[in-house]
Amino acid sequence: PPDLSWRPAANAQHAYRIQVATTPDLLTHNTPDLWDSGQVTAPHSTSVPYAGKPLAAAQRAHWRVRVWDEHGEPSAWSATATWETGLPTAADWAGARWVTAPEWAPPATDAHDPERALPLLARDFELPRPVVKARLYATALGLYVPTLNGRPIAAAVLEPANTAYDKRLLYTTYDVTHALTPGPNTLGCLLAGGLAHVPDVPGRYQKLRVDYGLPRLLALLRVEHDDGSVTTIGTDEQWRTAPGPVTVSDWFGGEDHDARREHPGWDAPGADLTGWQPVVTAPASDAQLSAIAHPPVEAVDELTPTTITQPQPGIYVADFGTNIAGRPELRVTGPADTTVTLRPAELLHDDGTVNQRFTGRPCYDAYTLKGAATPETWQPQTVYHGFRYVQIEGLPHPADHDTVRAHVLRAANHPAGGFSCSDELLSAVHRITDRAVQSNMYSLLTDCPHREKLGWLEQAHLVFPAVANNYDVAAYFRKLVRDMADAQTDTGLVPSIAPEYKVFEDKFRDDPNWGGAIILTPWQLYRTYGDTATLRTHYPHMRRYLDHLASRADGDGLLTHGLGDWMAFDMTTPKAVTATFGYGRAAAALSRIAAVLGDTDGERTYAALAERLRRAFHDAFFDPAGHTYATGSQAADALAFDLGAVPEAERDAVLAHLVDSVRAAGDHVTVGEIALPSLLRVLSAYGRDDVVYDLVSRTDSPSYGYQVVHGATALTERWDGPTRGSSQNHLMLGAIEEWFYGSLAGIGQAADSVAFARIVIRPTPVGDLSHADAWYDTPRGRVRSSWQRSADGGFTLDVTVPPGAPARIELPLPDGGRAIHEAAPGTRRFTAPA
């Protein structure tokens, strides 16, 4: 059953009442037949579980809510909203069988065969009466591209979402009511391997081979008519198939499309399917079928080239001006049999041709023309790439700005925040970080959109604020957590990538700062969105993972394995420091989760473990003479603080050592991705935002600014990425977003607040910044913090507080103190004198 949420429109909520019915009329007449919660005294308006009658498959529920304020005054009823159930049991899929093309059916080999093009599947059918409601439920082992009556069904692409295909397959529900007509109709589908079946393709880049089985399709169309009758069309032997125009589909290496092999009108009524064969049934998957519950990947933007160059005769390079993840689109006219090749890349060689050294080579898409009189427009359908440049080869005419375009793809999570400030460098750092978030926000939160496309888990919690401050990812991250749980082994290990498409060696597979995402990410979801369902569902997985870490700890509880502070400049930080930090942080979070779930024994047990690990960390690594930890690295001190291992009597001295180490490094960070969030949090929490500002304002290496001034348009994998190479589109160093929103603009919530029930706005003007502005859509509505400093030092703060979320305003004063104000919902202005 779903969790229900709403936003109070005015005053603070004291109580609520929910009604759910099978029709809107029942709600209008105040006779809900599914659930009436009655008046419930509670202030929360997020993640309220549905507790009504069980719903049938494919059933729509209509609901509304009203609230009472602290004076006992009721609101009007909300507008009616709806949700609809999917097909939760195997019986609900009756009439649909797994099917594929005969040449793809087992025991067909997975070796690449240029004559075995990707199959097209089609089904003609008649509808006897007008349509009232129609839903198509579809999934595939691999990837499918559905059409209905010759047109795309939805904006979603690259369906289904990537999962552990042997354990879980996601199906999508499409509303196709208005795409059907009485009389003849046709369902069509292109099948591809996607990431479920990555064969060995000679001459193409390949990060890894994956084989969960050859592509197959499962689909069910359910149509309700105006007389109450129902027509059901499932995948079965009545479907027809033929090889299509896509001759190569390599998830990492690109797609080939031969337009001469196209079947015009194949997916529309009246098509000539002479020579098409019946499909064959394929073995049913043992994986659990689950409905997709997060936004799919869609095209969100289209770019035209900023420049087109010709570095060599007949070779053109289009520069789109920014590094993206998506697909190129070709528009070309020419003779049949002409093949045009598109090579995506992030960098250029000195001679102006594309450089794929750091993204996997060779990677290319190829289109063979059919020789039409009008321009042929094409983009790959079964792959995507990370790129800024596209090299075009084989054109029958010179390239121009209409020859190629770029479609930006990402998971269609709704924008939820924005940031800007008076310093263009800092604003640029925000922009390149956001671009990296977008480029890696696919059905997995990937490390990069080209070379690997894998879900490395440390990013899920270390840079959670970089993603969640800018996009509504409440549903998206629930999917990522379920992937982690599906990847968990029998011993409790959560591997460093999920789904685990490749089993890496021990240190790349088992690190507490990667696997700990199974605990830390659900906790972040709870704090941000009030999501208790994810905590409850995955609490057993969390406990098993902590048991796994305990099995690897020494007698004091210390861990010594893993990857250390990945990508650090200072490599002296012992792995025991980073590993034990990850262990202790996970234990502390699990204690808090146990408290939320009412497990008092678990709360005490994990709190005691967290405290024991803090003491063991301090005892093992503290250097009393130097007032530092381990080797004295920035990472060691920052992690000690963030773990809570620094005794109160030592905090000033250790903080001074940490600040001195940043200053001694020329206001540069020497940490890697594990310690970076801790470093920024600790400096800000202890009042040293001036140090953060100084390090984020640097433009020499290593720094964010170095990337900006050297031309990065997305955050790079390494601090000196634009000049060193490697990936030019990584989000793992994106922790600075937490400081932009939470410290510079000052948007946050009280330490014991959940889902922004009690907002805190505590801006920190630093350096020579004259203004900063940020907004964030909390579960209760939009909060905004916008401040300006005048030339004489006067300070003005404009805030917007959403309904039902009282806010504490901590206004900075000239003497360094803070003036505390309580702000009711609405827009307010606060001023401090020069």
Side-chain angles (χ1 to χ4, degrees), residues 459-529:
Q459 299 177 136
H461 65 94
L462 290 175
V463 294
F464 179 88
V467 185
N469 284 348
N470 292 293
Y471 300 93
D472 179 356
V473 289
Y476 177 73
F477 266 81
R478 283 197 292 270
K479 187 268 183 186
L480 302 183
V481 173
R482 189 165 62 179
D483 288 338
M484 301 174 201
D486 286 345
Q488 189 170 36
T489 70
D490 292 340
T491 66
L493 165 70
V494 175
S496 294
I497 58 171
E500 193 177 23
Y501 296 123
K502 180 178 176 62
V503 177
F504 291 105
E505 62 179 282
D506 180 65
K507 71 176 182 177
F508 283 98
R509 192 185 193 214
D510 187 1
D511 185 306
N513 290 295
W514 274 253
I518 189 68
I519 297 171
L520 297 167
T521 304
W523 176 247
Q524 290 166 316
L525 278 173
Y526 170 70
R527 286 293 317 281
T528 305
Y529 302 109

Coordinates of all heavy atoms in Angstrom, one line a residue, residues 459-529:
Q459 N 28.5 7.2 -3.3 CA 27.9 8.4 -3.8 C 26.5 8.6 -3.2 O 26.0 9.8 -3.0 CB 27.9 8.5 -5.3 CG 29.2 8.4 -5.9 CD 29.2 8.4 -7.4 OE1 29.9 9.1 -8.1 NE2 28.3 7.7 -8.0
A460 N 25.8 7.5 -3.0 CA 24.4 7.6 -2.6 C 24.2 8.4 -1.3 O 23.2 9.1 -1.1 CB 23.8 6.2 -2.5
H461 N 25.2 8.2 -0.4 CA 25.0 9.0 0.9 C 26.0 10.1 1.0 O 25.7 11.1 1.6 CB 25.1 8.0 2.0 CG 26.5 7.4 2.2 ND1 27.5 7.9 3.0 CD2 27.0 6.2 1.7 CE1 28.5 7.1 3.0 NE2 28.3 6.1 2.2
L462 N 27.2 10.0 0.4 CA 28.2 11.1 0.6 C 27.8 12.3 -0.1 O 28.0 13.4 0.4 CB 29.6 10.6 0.1 CG 30.3 9.5 0.9 CD1 31.6 9.1 0.2 CD2 30.6 10.0 2.3
V463 N 27.1 12.2 -1.3 CA 26.7 13.4 -2.0 C 25.2 13.4 -2.1 O 24.6 14.0 -3.0 CB 27.3 13.5 -3.4 CG1 28.8 13.7 -3.3 CG2 27.1 12.3 -4.2
F464 N 24.5 12.8 -1.1 CA 23.0 12.9 -1.1 C 22.5 14.3 -1.2 O 21.6 14.6 -1.9 CB 22.5 12.2 0.1 CG 21.0 12.2 0.3 CD1 20.2 11.2 -0.3 CD2 20.4 13.2 1.0 CE1 18.8 11.2 -0.1 CE2 19.0 13.2 1.2 CZ 18.2 12.2 0.6
P465 N 23.1 15.2 -0.4 CA 22.6 16.6 -0.5 C 22.8 17.2 -1.8 O 21.9 18.1 -2.2 CB 23.5 17.4 0.6 CG 23.9 16.3 1.5 CD 24.1 15.1 0.7
A466 N 23.8 16.9 -2.6 CA 24.0 17.5 -3.9 C 22.9 17.1 -4.8 O 22.5 17.8 -5.7 CB 25.4 17.0 -4.5
V467 N 22.3 15.9 -4.6 CA 21.2 15.4 -5.4 C 19.9 15.9 -4.9 O 19.1 16.5 -5.6 CB 21.2 13.9 -5.5 CG1 20.2 13.4 -6.5 CG2 22.6 13.3 -6.0
A468 N 19.7 15.7 -3.6 CA 18.4 16.0 -3.0 C 18.1 17.5 -2.8 O 17.0 17.9 -2.8 CB 18.3 15.3 -1.6
N469 N 19.2 18.3 -2.7 CA 18.9 19.8 -2.6 C 18.4 20.3 -4.0 O 17.8 21.4 -4.0 CB 20.2 20.5 -2.2 CG 20.5 20.3 -0.8 OD1 19.7 19.9 0.0 ND2 21.7 20.7 -0.4
N470 N 18.7 19.6 -5.0 CA 18.3 20.1 -6.3 C 17.2 19.4 -7.0 O 16.6 20.0 -7.9 CB 19.6 20.1 -7.3 CG 20.7 21.0 -6.8 OD1 20.5 22.2 -6.9 ND2 21.8 20.5 -6.3
Y471 N 16.9 18.2 -6.6 CA 15.8 17.4 -7.2 C 15.0 16.7 -6.1 O 15.5 16.3 -5.1 CB 16.4 16.4 -8.2 CG 17.1 17.1 -9.3 CD1 18.5 17.3 -9.2 CD2 16.5 17.6 -10.4 CE1 19.2 18.0 -10.2 CE2 17.2 18.3 -11.4 CZ 18.5 18.5 -11.2 OH 19.2 19.2 -12.2
D472 N 13.7 16.4 -6.4 CA 12.9 15.6 -5.6 C 13.2 14.2 -5.8 O 12.8 13.6 -6.9 CB 11.4 15.9 -5.8 CG 10.5 15.1 -5.0 OD1 11.0 14.2 -4.2 OD2 9.2 15.3 -5.1
V473 N 13.9 13.5 -4.9 CA 14.4 12.2 -5.1 C 13.8 11.2 -4.1 O 14.4 10.2 -3.8 CB 15.9 12.1 -5.2 CG1 16.5 12.8 -6.4 CG2 16.5 12.8 -3.9
A474 N 12.7 11.6 -3.5 CA 12.1 10.7 -2.5 C 11.8 9.3 -3.1 O 12.2 8.3 -2.4 CB 10.8 11.3 -2.0
A475 N 11.2 9.2 -4.2 CA 10.9 7.9 -4.8 C 12.2 7.3 -5.5 O 12.4 6.1 -5.4 CB 9.8 8.0 -5.9
Y476 N 13.0 8.2 -6.1 CA 14.2 7.7 -6.8 C 15.2 7.0 -5.9 O 15.7 5.9 -6.2 CB 14.8 8.9 -7.4 CG 16.1 8.6 -8.2 CD1 16.1 8.0 -9.4 CD2 17.4 9.1 -7.7 CE1 17.3 7.7 -10.1 CE2 18.6 8.8 -8.3 CZ 18.5 8.2 -9.5 OH 19.7 8.0 -10.2
F477 N 15.4 7.6 -4.7 CA 16.4 6.9 -3.8 C 15.8 5.7 -3.1 O 16.5 4.8 -2.7 CB 16.8 7.9 -2.7 CG 18.1 8.6 -3.1 CD1 18.1 9.7 -4.0 CD2 19.3 8.2 -2.6 CE1 19.3 10.3 -4.4 CE2 20.5 8.8 -3.0 CZ 20.5 9.9 -3.8
R478 N 14.5 5.6 -3.0 CA 13.9 4.3 -2.5 C 14.3 3.2 -3.5 O 14.5 2.0 -3.0 CB 12.4 4.4 -2.4 CG 11.9 5.2 -1.1 CD 10.5 4.9 -0.8 NE 9.6 5.5 -1.8 CZ 9.1 6.7 -1.8 NH1 9.4 7.5 -0.8 NH2 8.3 7.1 -2.7
K479 N 14.3 3.5 -4.8 CA 14.6 2.4 -5.7 C 16.1 2.1 -5.5 O 16.5 0.9 -5.6 CB 14.4 3.0 -7.1 CG 14.6 1.9 -8.3 CD 16.0 1.9 -8.8 CE 16.1 0.9 -10.0 NZ 17.5 0.8 -10.5
L480 N 17.0 3.0 -5.3 CA 18.4 2.7 -5.1 C 18.6 1.9 -3.9 O 19.4 1.0 -3.9 CB 19.2 4.0 -5.0 CG 19.1 5.0 -6.2 CD1 20.0 6.2 -5.9 CD2 19.4 4.4 -7.5
V481 N 17.9 2.2 -2.8 CA 18.0 1.4 -1.6 C 17.6 -0.1 -1.9 O 18.2 -1.0 -1.4 CB 17.2 2.0 -0.4 CG1 17.2 1.1 0.8 CG2 17.8 3.3 -0.1
R482 N 16.5 -0.2 -2.6 CA 16.0 -1.6 -2.9 C 17.1 -2.4 -3.7 O 17.3 -3.6 -3.6 CB 14.7 -1.6 -3.6 CG 14.0 -2.9 -3.8 CD 12.6 -2.9 -4.2 NE 12.4 -2.2 -5.5 CZ 11.2 -2.0 -6.0 NH1 10.1 -2.4 -5.4 NH2 11.1 -1.4 -7.2
D483 N 17.8 -1.7 -4.6 CA 18.9 -2.3 -5.4 C 19.9 -2.8 -4.4 O 20.5 -3.8 -4.6 CB 19.5 -1.3 -6.4 CG 18.6 -1.0 -7.6 OD1 17.7 -1.8 -7.9 OD2 18.7 0.0 -8.2
M484 N 20.3 -2.0 -3.4 CA 21.3 -2.4 -2.4 C 20.8 -3.6 -1.7 O 21.6 -4.6 -1.5 CB 21.5 -1.2 -1.4 CG 22.0 0.1 -2.0 SD 22.0 1.3 -0.7 CE 22.0 2.8 -1.7
A485 N 19.6 -3.7 -1.3 CA 19.1 -4.8 -0.6 C 19.1 -6.1 -1.5 O 19.4 -7.2 -1.0 CB 17.7 -4.6 -0.1
D486 N 18.7 -5.9 -2.7 CA 18.7 -7.0 -3.7 C 20.2 -7.5 -3.9 O 20.3 -8.7 -4.2 CB 18.1 -6.6 -5.0 CG 16.6 -6.5 -4.9 OD1 16.0 -7.0 -4.0 OD2 16.0 -5.9 -5.9
A487 N 21.2 -6.7 -3.8 CA 22.5 -7.1 -4.0 C 23.2 -7.7 -2.8 O 24.3 -8.3 -2.9 CB 23.4 -5.9 -4.4
Q488 N 22.6 -7.6 -1.6 CA 23.2 -8.1 -0.4 C 23.4 -9.6 -0.5 O 22.5 -10.4 -0.9 CB 22.3 -7.8 0.8 CG 23.0 -8.1 2.1 CD 22.2 -7.5 3.3 OE1 20.9 -7.5 3.3 NE2 22.9 -7.1 4.3
T489 N 24.5 -10.1 -0.1 CA 24.8 -11.5 -0.1 C 24.3 -12.2 1.1 O 23.8 -11.6 2.1 CB 26.4 -11.7 -0.2 OG1 27.0 -11.3 1.0 CG2 27.0 -10.9 -1.3
D490 N 24.4 -13.6 1.1 CA 24.0 -14.4 2.2 C 24.7 -14.1 3.4 O 24.2 -14.4 4.5 CB 24.1 -15.9 1.8 CG 23.1 -16.3 0.7 OD1 22.1 -15.6 0.5 OD2 23.4 -17.3 0.0
T491 N 26.0 -13.6 3.3 CA 26.8 -13.3 4.5 C 26.5 -11.9 5.1 O 27.1 -11.5 6.1 CB 28.3 -13.4 4.2 OG1 28.6 -12.4 3.2 CG2 28.6 -14.8 3.6
G492 N 25.6 -11.2 4.4 CA 25.3 -9.8 4.9 C 26.1 -8.7 4.2 O 25.7 -7.5 4.3
L493 N 27.0 -9.1 3.4 CA 27.8 -8.1 2.6 C 26.9 -7.3 1.7 O 26.1 -7.9 0.9 CB 28.9 -8.8 1.9 CG 29.6 -7.9 0.8 CD1 30.5 -6.8 1.4 CD2 30.5 -8.9 -0.1
V494 N 27.1 -6.0 1.7 CA 26.5 -5.2 0.6 C 27.6 -4.7 -0.3 O 28.5 -4.0 0.2 CB 25.8 -4.0 1.2 CG1 25.3 -3.0 0.1 CG2 24.6 -4.4 2.1
P495 N 27.7 -5.2 -1.5 CA 28.9 -4.9 -2.3 C 28.9 -3.5 -2.7 O 27.9 -2.7 -2.6 CB 28.7 -5.8 -3.6 CG 27.2 -6.1 -3.6 CD 26.7 -6.1 -2.2
S496 N 30.1 -3.0 -3.2 CA 30.3 -1.6 -3.4 C 29.5 -1.1 -4.6 O 29.3 0.1 -4.8 CB 31.8 -1.3 -3.6 OG 32.5 -1.6 -2.4
I497 N 29.0 -1.9 -5.5 CA 28.1 -1.5 -6.6 C 26.8 -2.3 -6.5 O 26.8 -3.5 -6.1 CB 28.8 -1.7 -8.0 CG1 29.1 -3.2 -8.2 CG2 29.9 -0.8 -8.2 CD1 29.5 -3.5 -9.6
A498 N 25.8 -1.6 -6.8 CA 24.4 -2.3 -6.8 C 23.6 -1.7 -7.9 O 23.5 -0.5 -8.0 CB 23.7 -2.1 -5.5
P499 N 23.1 -2.6 -8.8 CA 23.2 -4.0 -8.8 C 24.7 -4.4 -9.1 O 25.5 -3.7 -9.7 CB 22.3 -4.4 -10.0 CG 21.4 -3.3 -10.2 CD 22.1 -2.1 -9.8
E500 N 25.0 -5.6 -8.6 CA 26.4 -6.1 -8.7 C 26.6 -6.8 -10.1 O 26.6 -8.0 -10.1 CB 26.8 -7.0 -7.6 CG 28.3 -7.2 -7.5 CD 28.7 -8.1 -6.3 OE1 27.8 -8.8 -5.8 OE2 29.8 -8.0 -5.9
Y501 N 26.8 -6.0 -11.1 CA 26.9 -6.6 -12.5 C 28.3 -7.3 -12.6 O 28.5 -8.1 -13.5 CB 26.7 -5.6 -13.5 CG 25.3 -5.0 -13.5 CD1 25.1 -3.7 -13.4 CD2 24.2 -5.9 -13.7 CE1 23.8 -3.2 -13.4 CE2 22.9 -5.4 -13.7 CZ 22.7 -4.0 -13.6 OH 21.4 -3.5 -13.6
K502 N 29.3 -6.9 -11.8 CA 30.6 -7.5 -11.8 C 31.1 -7.6 -10.4 O 30.9 -6.7 -9.6 CB 31.6 -6.6 -12.6 CG 33.0 -7.2 -12.7 CD 33.9 -6.3 -13.5 CE 35.3 -6.9 -13.5 NZ 35.4 -8.2 -14.1
V503 N 31.6 -8.8 -10.1 CA 32.2 -9.0 -8.7 C 33.6 -8.6 -8.8 O 34.5 -9.2 -9.4 CB 32.0 -10.5 -8.3 CG1 32.7 -10.7 -6.9 CG2 30.6 -10.9 -8.3
F504 N 33.9 -7.5 -8.0 CA 35.3 -7.0 -8.0 C 36.1 -7.7 -6.9 O 35.5 -8.4 -6.0 CB 35.3 -5.5 -7.8 CG 34.8 -4.7 -9.0 CD1 33.5 -4.2 -9.0 CD2 35.6 -4.5 -10.1 CE1 33.0 -3.4 -10.1 CE2 35.1 -3.8 -11.2 CZ 33.8 -3.3 -11.2
E505 N 37.4 -7.4 -6.8 CA 38.2 -8.0 -5.8 C 37.8 -7.4 -4.5 O 37.2 -6.3 -4.4 CB 39.7 -7.7 -6.1 CG 40.1 -6.3 -6.2 CD 41.6 -6.1 -6.4 OE1 42.3 -6.2 -5.5 OE2 41.9 -5.8 -7.6
D506 N 38.3 -7.9 -3.4 CA 37.8 -7.7 -2.0 C 37.8 -6.2 -1.7 O 36.7 -5.7 -1.3 CB 38.7 -8.3 -1.0 CG 38.3 -8.1 0.4 OD1 37.2 -8.5 0.8 OD2 39.0 -7.4 1.2
K507 N 38.9 -5.4 -1.9 CA 38.8 -4.0 -1.4 C 37.9 -3.2 -2.3 O 37.3 -2.2 -1.8 CB 40.2 -3.4 -1.5 CG 40.8 -3.2 -2.9 CD 42.2 -2.5 -2.8 CE 42.7 -2.2 -4.1 NZ 44.0 -1.5 -4.1
F508 N 37.6 -3.6 -3.5 CA 36.7 -2.9 -4.4 C 35.3 -3.4 -4.2 O 34.3 -2.8 -4.7 CB 37.1 -3.0 -5.8 CG 38.2 -2.1 -6.3 CD1 39.5 -2.7 -6.3 CD2 38.0 -0.8 -6.6 CE1 40.6 -1.9 -6.7 CE2 39.1 0.0 -6.9 CZ 40.4 -0.5 -7.0
R509 N 35.1 -4.4 -3.4 CA 33.8 -5.0 -3.2 C 33.3 -4.7 -1.8 O 32.1 -4.7 -1.5 CB 33.8 -6.5 -3.4 CG 32.4 -7.1 -3.5 CD 32.5 -8.6 -3.6 NE 31.2 -9.2 -4.0 CZ 30.7 -10.3 -3.6 NH1 31.4 -11.1 -2.8 NH2 29.5 -10.7 -4.0
D510 N 34.2 -4.6 -0.8 CA 33.8 -4.6 0.6 C 34.5 -3.4 1.3 O 35.6 -3.5 1.7 CB 34.1 -5.9 1.3 CG 33.6 -6.0 2.7 OD1 32.9 -5.0 3.1 OD2 33.8 -7.0 3.4
D511 N 33.8 -2.3 1.4 CA 34.3 -1.1 2.1 C 33.1 -0.5 2.8 O 32.0 -0.3 2.3 CB 34.9 -0.1 1.1 CG 35.5 1.1 1.8 OD1 34.8 1.7 2.7 OD2 36.7 1.4 1.6
P512 N 33.2 -0.2 4.1 CA 32.1 0.3 4.9 C 31.5 1.6 4.4 O 30.4 1.9 4.7 CB 32.7 0.5 6.3 CG 33.9 -0.4 6.4 CD 34.4 -0.5 5.0
N513 N 32.3 2.4 3.7 CA 31.8 3.7 3.2 C 31.1 3.5 1.9 O 30.4 4.4 1.5 CB 33.0 4.6 3.0 CG 33.6 5.1 4.4 OD1 32.9 5.7 5.1 ND2 34.8 4.7 4.7
W514 N 31.1 2.3 1.3 CA 30.3 2.0 0.2 C 29.1 1.2 0.7 O 28.0 1.6 0.5 CB 31.1 1.2 -0.8 CG 31.9 2.1 -1.8 CD1 31.7 2.3 -3.1 CD2 33.1 2.8 -1.5 NE1 32.6 3.1 -3.7 CE2 33.5 3.4 -2.7 CE3 33.9 3.0 -0.4 CZ2 34.7 4.2 -2.8 CZ3 35.0 3.8 -0.5 CH2 35.4 4.4 -1.7
G515 N 29.3 0.0 1.2 CA 28.2 -0.8 1.7 C 27.4 -0.1 2.8 O 26.2 -0.4 2.9
G516 N 27.9 0.8 3.5 CA 27.2 1.5 4.6 C 26.0 2.3 4.0 O 25.2 2.7 4.8
A517 N 26.0 2.5 2.7 CA 24.8 3.2 2.1 C 23.5 2.5 2.4 O 22.5 3.1 2.4 CB 25.0 3.3 0.6
I518 N 23.5 1.2 2.7 CA 22.3 0.5 3.0 C 21.7 1.0 4.3 O 20.4 0.8 4.5 CB 22.5 -1.1 3.1 CG1 21.2 -1.9 3.2 CG2 23.4 -1.4 4.3 CD1 20.4 -1.8 2.0
I519 N 22.4 1.6 5.1 CA 22.0 2.2 6.4 C 21.8 3.7 6.3 O 20.8 4.3 6.7 CB 22.9 1.8 7.6 CG1 22.9 0.3 7.8 CG2 22.5 2.6 8.8 CD1 24.0 -0.1 8.8
L520 N 22.8 4.3 5.7 CA 22.9 5.8 5.8 C 21.9 6.4 4.8 O 21.3 7.5 5.1 CB 24.3 6.3 5.5 CG 25.3 5.8 6.5 CD1 26.8 6.0 6.0 CD2 25.1 6.6 7.8
T521 N 21.7 5.8 3.6 CA 20.8 6.4 2.7 C 19.3 6.3 3.1 O 18.6 7.4 3.0 CB 20.9 5.7 1.3 OG1 22.3 5.8 0.9 CG2 20.0 6.4 0.3
P522 N 18.8 5.2 3.7 CA 17.5 5.3 4.3 C 17.3 6.3 5.4 O 16.3 6.9 5.5 CB 17.3 3.8 4.8 CG 18.2 3.0 3.9 CD 19.4 3.9 3.7
W523 N 18.4 6.5 6.2 CA 18.3 7.5 7.2 C 18.2 8.9 6.6 O 17.4 9.7 7.1 CB 19.5 7.4 8.1 CG 19.6 8.5 9.2 CD1 20.4 9.5 9.3 CD2 18.7 8.6 10.3 NE1 20.1 10.3 10.4 CE2 19.1 9.7 11.0 CE3 17.6 7.8 10.7 CZ2 18.4 10.2 12.2 CZ3 16.9 8.3 11.9 CH2 17.3 9.4 12.6
Q524 N 18.9 9.2 5.6 CA 18.8 10.5 4.9 C 17.4 10.6 4.3 O 16.9 11.7 4.3 CB 19.9 10.6 3.8 CG 21.3 10.7 4.4 CD 22.4 10.5 3.4 OE1 22.3 9.6 2.6 NE2 23.4 11.4 3.4
L525 N 16.9 9.6 3.7 CA 15.5 9.7 3.2 C 14.5 10.0 4.3 O 13.6 10.8 4.1 CB 15.1 8.3 2.5 CG 15.6 8.1 1.1 CD1 15.3 6.7 0.7 CD2 14.9 9.1 0.2
Y526 N 14.7 9.4 5.5 CA 13.8 9.6 6.6 C 13.9 11.1 7.1 O 12.9 11.8 7.2 CB 14.1 8.7 7.7 CG 13.4 9.0 9.0 CD1 12.0 8.9 9.1 CD2 14.1 9.6 10.1 CE1 11.4 9.2 10.3 CE2 13.5 9.9 11.3 CZ 12.1 9.7 11.4 OH 11.5 10.0 12.6
R527 N 15.1 11.6 7.2 CA 15.3 12.9 7.7 C 14.8 14.0 6.7 O 14.2 15.0 7.1 CB 16.8 13.2 7.9 CG 17.4 12.6 9.2 CD 16.9 13.2 10.5 NE 16.8 14.6 10.5 CZ 17.7 15.5 10.7 NH1 19.0 15.1 10.8 NH2 17.5 16.8 10.8
T528 N 15.0 13.7 5.4 CA 14.6 14.7 4.4 C 13.1 14.6 4.1 O 12.5 15.6 3.9 CB 15.4 14.4 3.1 OG1 16.8 14.4 3.5 CG2 15.1 15.5 2.1
Y529 N 12.5 13.4 4.0 CA 11.2 13.3 3.5 C 10.2 12.6 4.5 O 9.0 12.4 4.2 CB 11.2 12.4 2.2 CG 12.0 13.0 1.1 CD1 13.2 12.4 0.7 CD2 11.6 14.1 0.4 CE1 14.0 12.9 -0.3 CE2 12.4 14.7 -0.6 CZ 13.6 14.0 -1.0 OH 14.4 14.6 -2.0

